[in-house]
Amino acid sequence: MKNIIAAAILLGTMAVSAQKKEDSLQFAEISTEILNKGKSYTELRELTKNIGHRLSGSDSYEKAVQWAEQKLRDAGADKVWLQEVMIPVWVRGKESLQIKTSNGKWKNLKMLSLGNSEGTGGKDVSGEIIMVRSMDEYEKLSPQQVKDKIVFFNYPFSQSYIETFKGYSDAAKYRTTAATLTAKKGGKFAIIRSLSSAFDDVPHTGAMRYGDDKKIPAVAIGSTTADELATLLTSQKVTAKLNSNCGMKGERLSHSVIGEITGKNDQSVIVVGGHLDSWDVGEGAHDDGAGIVQSIEVLRTFRNLGIKNNHTIRVVCFANEENGVKGGVQYGKMVKENNEKHLFAIETDAGGFTPRGISLDMDNEKRKQIQSWSELFLPYGIYDFKNTYSGTDLYPLHDLGIPAAELVPDSQRYFDIHHTEEDTFEKVNRRELLLGAVAMTQLIYMIDKNW
């Protein structure tokens, strides 16, 4: 009996070893194909240079829809369609922010209105600036102290976190709530220190939201301007003057773009995607043109290598992630209404830098299974499987119980350029971008084979 058991164990071990070898060889094939023949980099150049930024509701976003539809067909999708989505239309328009100090002269500051902010209607709005360095400091101010003032939330992006997304999450509440907090106590508008890991003068935009109070403007300034303003405020009274034309202009019918290769065994769906929109500054290269071209690369690689997928592999180029998540919500609604079975979904929306890991937002059994494949990923620099979040567009799917994930690139440079004019094609490295596509294709291969 002992000999039989020993033999069974040996055979099992040999089978596992053979399987690992087969998977390792397939991983190498995927890597070789993408690093040598991948089109992500050239397609990103097309998207960013020929179309540029892709703010939801803009004509450039609609051009991006047509572009993505064609690229999915070229990549080998056997079915491509546009999913209707009603998206909010926000426009920036001309804007300026000035300060006047004790010398009586006005000085222009580099600034950006926050996304979804209302403006001043093209009129000058001015008042004295008061500065707070934290939410606690603001809460201690009385309405009398804030009334008719401009509140400057000077909360710095924490440099202490090694994972810079933690620093971003820590500071994000100031961007999203500054206008509402200021309005509650009668302030005229809010200024925030940009959510930036860099020590430069580049302002960062990004979405904010309103509560039930009066909708007042909110703007962001860069780190060095914030430091200079803080120094001035310690010694003198400073007046600010804002003139802006931004605001919401209703809704517009638009689309997410979807393409897939149908599964040979069943039509259970594996989703890989990114968001097609971007903010209206820069070119949306890392955020999230990189994610779009990497997702399309997954589909192309399956086709080019002749990998016969068991389940349907579907690329979703989500609409309106930046200032509404309408594309993700609409996709989740479709899945629920159609009772469409989804096995897994991954989004890439953290830049096109060198991939370091995959975050797993799912139950422990599924997470441990993917973690058990870590040895296969290690030669490609993928080692971090400890995080438990997934992409913003995927939260409606996660709410339906679908295992979700996100590619985790190196984040050290991402928040230097995030939501700024600096997010351009030139900031993307070809090999780093392609390695992200390699990691996602390898993961989708394993999910398709084992789930």
Side-chain angles (χ1 to χ4, degrees), residues 118-138:
E118 292 299 320
T120 68
K123 299 176 182 178
D124 290 342
V125 174
S126 60
E128 181 186 349
I129 300 175
I130 56 174
M131 179 176 67
V132 295
R133 297 184 181 275
S134 68
M135 289 289 184
D136 288 342
E137 279 191 24
Y138 181 77

Side-chain angles (χ1 to χ4, degrees), residues 63-362:
K63 291 178 183 177
V65 168
Q66 297 174 19
W67 176 90
E69 181 182 13
Q70 186 58 52
K71 291 303 174 185
L72 283 165
R73 295 188 193 282
D74 294 345
D78 54 48
K79 183 180 180 183
V80 179
W81 74 98
L82 305 183
Q83 182 182 34
E84 291 188 350
V85 184
M86 291 300 297
I87 58 177
V89 179
W90 180 80
V91 296
R92 181 176 300 280
K94 187 177 179 181
E95 56 189 15
S96 65
L97 176 66
Q98 297 175 294
I99 59 170
K100 183 171 69 173
T101 59
S102 56
N103 64 15
K105 294 182 180 179
W106 288 100
K107 176 185 178 181
N108 284 307
L109 302 184
K110 288 186 68 173
M111 53 77 72
L112 286 173
S113 292
L114 295 180
N116 295 350
S117 175
E118 292 299 320
T120 68
K123 299 176 182 178
D124 290 342
V125 174
S126 60
E128 181 186 349
I129 300 175
I130 56 174
M131 179 176 67
V132 295
R133 297 184 181 275
S134 68
M135 289 289 184
D136 288 342
E137 279 191 24
Y138 181 77
E139 292 300 331
K140 291 175 183 176
L141 294 176
S142 68
Q144 289 74 28
Q145 290 174 295
V146 177
K147 184 174 173 58
D148 294 330
K149 301 292 198 306
I150 287 87
V151 181
F152 170 36
F153 291 86
N154 187 26
Y155 185 83
F157 185 108
S158 176
Q159 300 293 328
S160 298
Y161 296 107
I162 303 303
E163 294 181 8
T164 59
F165 275 85
K166 292 181 179 179
Y168 177 72
S169 296
D170 173 61
K173 57 182 175 290
Y174 292 89
R175 189 185 71 201
T176 56
T177 66
T180 293
L181 291 172
T182 302
K184 281 182 178 179
K185 295 184 180 181
K188 289 185 174 180
F189 65 87
I191 301 172
I192 70 160
R193 184 188 187 103
S194 286
L195 277 61
S196 174
S197 53
F199 294 90
D200 58 23
D201 200 29
V202 178
H204 295 229
T205 190
M208 50 82 68
R209 60 175 180 263
Y210 288 110
D212 298 328
D213 295 277
K214 180 183 177 182
K215 294 182 178 180
I216 64 170
V219 304
I221 56 177
S223 298
T224 55
T225 290
D227 288 339
E228 291 166 4
L229 180 56
T231 299
L232 282 174
L233 288 167
T234 60
S235 61
Q236 59 185 284
K237 176 181 175 180
V238 180
T239 300
K241 179 169 64 179
L242 175 67
N243 190 303
S244 58
N245 291 273
C246 58
M248 301 300 298
K249 306 295 181 183
E251 291 186 319
R252 176 177 181 176
L253 178 64
S254 190
H255 301 87
S256 295
V257 188
I258 304 173
E260 65 186 32
I261 298 177
T262 306
K264 65 185 178 71
N265 290 346
D266 65 53
Q267 278 71 61
S268 298
V269 177
I270 299 171
V271 165
V272 55
H275 65 85
L276 188 56
D277 64 312
S278 75
W279 284 109
D280 59 320
V281 291
E283 296 170 350
H286 278 288
D287 187 25
D288 184 30
I292 291 296
V293 298
Q294 287 172 330
S295 298
I296 295 172
E297 196 76 73
V298 173
L299 211 65
R300 180 185 298 113
T301 305
F302 266 74
R303 183 201 65 179
N304 287 354
L305 293 180
I307 302 172
K308 302 300 181 183
N309 45 296
N310 295 314
H311 312 289
T312 293
I313 298 175
R314 178 179 294 170
V315 172
V316 183
C317 305
F318 292 99
N320 184 237
E321 187 270 350
E322 293 291 7
N323 68 326
V325 201
K326 300 294 187 182
V329 170
Q330 187 63 29
Y331 185 81
K333 182 180 178 183
M334 177 199 75
V335 171
K336 184 176 181 179
E337 290 177 350
N338 295 345
N339 197 27
E340 189 175 47
K341 185 178 179 182
H342 277 52
L343 296 178
F344 177 81
I346 184 170
E347 184 169 21
T348 166
D349 181 23
F353 298 106
T354 303
R356 301 296 191 194
I358 299 162
S359 179
L360 307 172
D361 192 5
M362 59 195 66

